[in-house]
Amino acid sequence: MSDVSLGLVGVGKIVRDQHLPALAATPGYRLLASADPHASLPEVPAYADMASMLDAHPELDAVAICTPTHLRHAQARLALQRGKQVLLEKPPGATLSEVEDLIDVASEQGVTLFAAWHSRFAPGVARAREWLAERRIERVEIVWKEDVRVWHPGQAWIWQPGGMGVFDPGINALSIATAILPQAFFLRQARLLVPSNCQTPIAAELSFADPDGATIEADFDFRQSGPPTWDIHVETDAGRLSLTQGGCRLSLDGQLSLEAEEREYAGLYARFAELVASGRREVDVAPLRHVADAFLYGQRDVTDAFIE
């Protein structure tokens, strides 16, 4: 097929840091326009809202929606109803009900809807999934810690309902775990640490188990200073797997198996192009469901107020 003509909805930090470089490095895309009431991109036609962008550019094939989570459902629904292919930045919605509705609308319209779990495109994830497929999982340790002031500077929405707090990065870990582990797993216990002046957690401790009794422990924290820790360690009946640096580094039984540069968003856009070309949809809600379970089932403890 010809190049996918794309509009970007929301042009904040994640778009500038990741989407734009990935689009520049991925053949098959033409960036035609952007929609954001507060920001624009050099030499790209800009509109205050997505409806205006779609009205001005009926030739658009697709939109990538990168706005704060609570805005995505209405925007994605409108784009789908206009017959546009839609890429949703993670998480794909503020609630599971919103995402299920978008799946229905995309099916009715016969267009592509892609829940873009970018961390699944980290270099070591596919090989980790293959290695674990024939092994029995015994224990999993997930440590996902970073400094919110570095990764979300001035983004007050992340502390409001729908903003997810520490689950904004933590869901990346869950997207990897649900991709590489051979069985589903289920929340058994959760502790959420919520700053006294916020609505969402700054840290979370989660305990899961799979049907065979393997334990999965996750430790998420937004208060880490210095370099982030994005690690998953899996003990199996036939050795240990470590997927570290967000999935860029894979070790098997202590031996380095793979180390590569992070190119998640290039892989993400390549996958979106494949889905658009074949007219398929790809919307996995498992990572979001785990977050919803944590909010539903978790114990909430108040901690120190967050001051940026």
Side-chain angles (χ1 to χ4, degrees):
M1 65 175 292
S2 59
D3 287 355
V4 176
S5 57
L6 183 77
L8 284 171
V9 184
V11 290
K13 178 175 170 56
I14 192 66
V15 164
R16 297 172 191 276
D17 290 353
Q18 297 288 356
H19 288 257
L20 292 178
L23 285 168
T26 307
Y29 285 96
R30 291 182 295 125
L31 178 57
L32 292 191
S34 69
D36 191 309
H38 307 296
S40 61
L41 300 170
E43 300 181 7
V44 176
Y47 302 87
D49 57 75
M50 190 187 70
S52 299
M53 181 184 76
L54 296 179
D55 289 341
H57 295 276
E59 74 276 20
L60 279 171
D61 298 313
V63 297
I65 297 181
C66 311
T67 52
T69 314
H70 67 283
L71 301 174
R72 292 178 190 164
H73 175 254
Q75 293 167 335
R77 204 175 204 281
L78 176 60
L80 292 169
Q81 290 175 328
R82 295 275 193 104
K84 308 306 179 184
Q85 327 294 333
V86 173
L87 180 152
L88 288 168
E89 214 351 316
K90 63 85 188 172
T95 69
L96 290 165
S97 296
E98 288 184 352
V99 182
E100 294 294 343
D101 177 65
L102 295 179
I103 293 171
D104 290 343
V105 175
S107 179
E108 291 167 2
Q109 296 294 323
V111 294
T112 295
L113 178 65
F114 180 36
W117 299 112
H118 62 82
S119 291
R120 290 181 172 177
F121 293 88
V125 170
R127 189 175 299 181
R129 179 171 57 247
E130 294 172 0
W131 193 85
L132 292 172
E134 302 301 324
R135 290 168 170 80
R136 181 171 58 84
I137 308 303
E138 295 179 346
R139 184 176 184 277
V140 181
E141 179 188 14
I142 302 171
V143 182
W144 220 259
K145 300 180 178 182
E146 61 186 59
D147 187 343
V148 65
R149 294 175 177 85
V150 172
W151 296 93
H152 293 279
Q155 296 179 11
W157 58 264
I158 206 165
W159 303 115
Q160 300 303 315
M164 299 184 72
V166 76
F167 286 105
D168 184 84
I171 205 170
N172 294 334
L174 293 171
S175 75
I176 294 175
T178 51
I180 67 174
L181 295 178
Q183 290 198 88
F185 51 91
F186 308 94
L187 187 68
R188 295 292 177 250
Q189 188 174 355
R191 178 173 180 249
L192 312 181
L193 295 178
V194 182
S196 59
N197 59 340
C198 299
Q199 298 295 315
T200 55
I202 199 166
E205 301 164 1
L206 312 175
S207 296
F208 304 87
D210 74 10
D212 292 335
T215 59
I216 299 98
E217 304 287 339
D219 184 5
F220 301 156
D221 205 319
F222 246 162
R223 301 168 296 185
Q224 176 153 302
S225 59
T229 302
W230 297 325
D231 297 346
I232 299 177
H233 305 286
V234 185
E235 301 284 354
T236 79
D237 61 341
R240 173 183 170 90
L241 176 146
S242 290
L243 195 59
T244 58
Q245 298 179 12
C248 289
R249 183 182 176 93
L250 175 66
S251 297
L252 303 173
D253 288 328
Q255 300 296 313
L256 182 63
S257 175
L258 179 150
E259 187 170 23
E261 181 183 355
E262 183 272 303
R263 288 178 51 82
E264 295 174 1
Y265 278 82
L268 183 154
Y269 272 103
R271 179 60 177 164
F272 186 46
E274 292 174 359
L275 294 171
V276 169
S278 60
R280 289 179 292 154
R281 290 167 284 283
E282 187 171 289
V283 187
D284 180 11
V285 298
L288 183 60
R289 185 183 294 117
H290 282 305
V291 173
D293 287 352
F295 277 101
L296 181 67
Y297 198 36
Q299 170 185 315
R300 287 168 171 77
D301 291 337
V302 176
T303 190
D304 295 342
F306 174 74
I307 308 297
E308 185 157 11

